[in-house]
Amino acid sequence: YVPGNMVAFYAGNLGAERVFDIIENRFAAVSGPIPSHHRDTPPVSAPFEHHKTIDSHQCHTIVGARCCRFDSPDRYTLALLTNILGGPGMNSLLNVSLRERRGLVYTVEASTGLFSDCGALAIYYGCDPDDNALCRRLVNDTMRSVADGYITQRRLELAKKQYLGQLIIASENLENRILGIARQTLLRGHATPDNEIISLIHAVTPAQIALIAAQLSDTSSLTLGPNK
């Protein structure tokens, strides 16, 4: 840990100048090499299907695909797509398809991890071993449907409204809000203001959603479960 890869943050009523003086007093004399944050982007691996046998009565499957890095202009389109596919709402496409309509899973969710060189979209579900192939096919069918234009302007506007509502609720958690701002500052040098994030979300189009979904259609999977 050196000053070049550290961010100090504070929430309270001391005032910015007082907090700055305290931090400067403690850390101004700390020296160290300036770290390099450069990472070479790894080559894209071929899609794979891997099954690992474990002592379990059900299958736990992760379906994934490589996606954009954390500073990509596509990150807000990706965030919306991820929420549409498997966000916390009961109306996410995968929840409706796998859980509500067919009762195949107890839970299904989508998430992303964005890094400095690239990122990963991950879709998790747990199901009966006999249903795993069907669940896998339904995930692929959902991705292809979105890539083919299922998300119309009307559906997208509803998805934006829901996603922005989730962001507002999440921002009320002070600890999460501060950690998010600090992480943005550490990785990008600044935090994106809320009004800018809202504008960027509103600017996403159905065509952009379809394009990102198409780019993520070549998925891989890892399944942990009993023998096939």
Side-chain angles (χ1 to χ4, degrees):
Y1 295 93
V2 295
N5 61 6
M6 294 171 64
V7 169
F9 56 92
Y10 169 83
N13 59 2
L14 278 181
E17 291 186 4
R18 175 62 177 148
V19 173
F20 182 82
D21 288 342
I22 293 173
I23 294 173
E24 186 176 41
N25 179 262
R26 298 293 190 277
F27 293 98
V30 177
S31 61
I34 299 176
S36 171
H37 298 294
H38 174 75
R39 295 181 65 183
D40 292 327
T41 303
V44 179
S45 62
F48 61 84
E49 306 280 336
H50 183 67
H51 185 106
K52 182 176 180 180
T53 300
I54 64 170
D55 184 16
S56 172
H57 71 281
Q58 68 172 352
C59 286
H60 300 275
T61 298
I62 291 283
V63 178
R66 178 158 151 176
C67 61
C68 64
R69 48 189 278 171
F70 67 73
D71 59 353
S72 168
D74 293 330
R75 64 185 184 276
Y76 293 106
T77 304
L78 176 65
L80 259 179
L81 172 62
T82 304
N83 206 56
I84 290 168
L85 289 173
M90 296 294 288
N91 61 341
S92 68
L93 296 183
L94 292 173
N95 188 69
V96 170
S97 178
L98 274 68
R99 184 174 185 268
E100 297 301 314
R101 287 181 182 168
R102 297 175 175 87
L104 295 170
V105 301
Y106 284 109
T107 183
V108 56
E109 57 190 30
S111 62
T112 56
L114 306 185
F115 308 100
S116 60
D117 51 0
C118 61
L121 167 74
I123 296 168
Y124 164 80
Y125 62 84
C127 68
D128 186 276
D130 292 338
D131 295 328
N132 192 46
L134 174 58
C135 289
R136 183 75 172 88
R137 186 165 67 251
L138 290 170
V139 170
N140 286 344
D141 289 347
T142 301
M143 292 290 291
R144 281 193 292 267
S145 174
V146 176
D148 290 339
Y150 175 78
I151 303 302
T152 61
Q153 185 65 46
R154 180 179 178 278
R155 288 185 173 127
L156 183 56
E157 291 305 320
L158 293 173
K160 290 176 182 179
K161 183 177 180 180
Q162 182 177 32
Y163 181 64
L164 290 172
Q166 292 168 356
L167 290 182
I168 291 171
I169 292 173
S171 70
E172 294 178 357
N173 184 309
L174 185 59
E175 180 180 3
N176 287 343
R177 182 173 178 82
I178 291 175
L179 288 172
I181 292 172
R183 184 174 184 270
Q184 291 181 61
T185 303
L186 180 64
L187 297 178
R188 295 201 294 269
H190 68 280
T192 306
D194 290 347
N195 60 341
E196 184 177 339
I197 292 175
I198 292 171
S199 296
L200 290 168
I201 293 295
H202 279 306
V204 174
T205 66
Q208 289 174 309
I209 292 288
L211 177 61
I212 296 296
Q215 293 172 350
L216 298 174
S217 292
D218 291 331
T219 58
S220 299
S221 70
L222 168 64
T223 298
L224 306 179
N227 285 324
K228 296 182 180 178

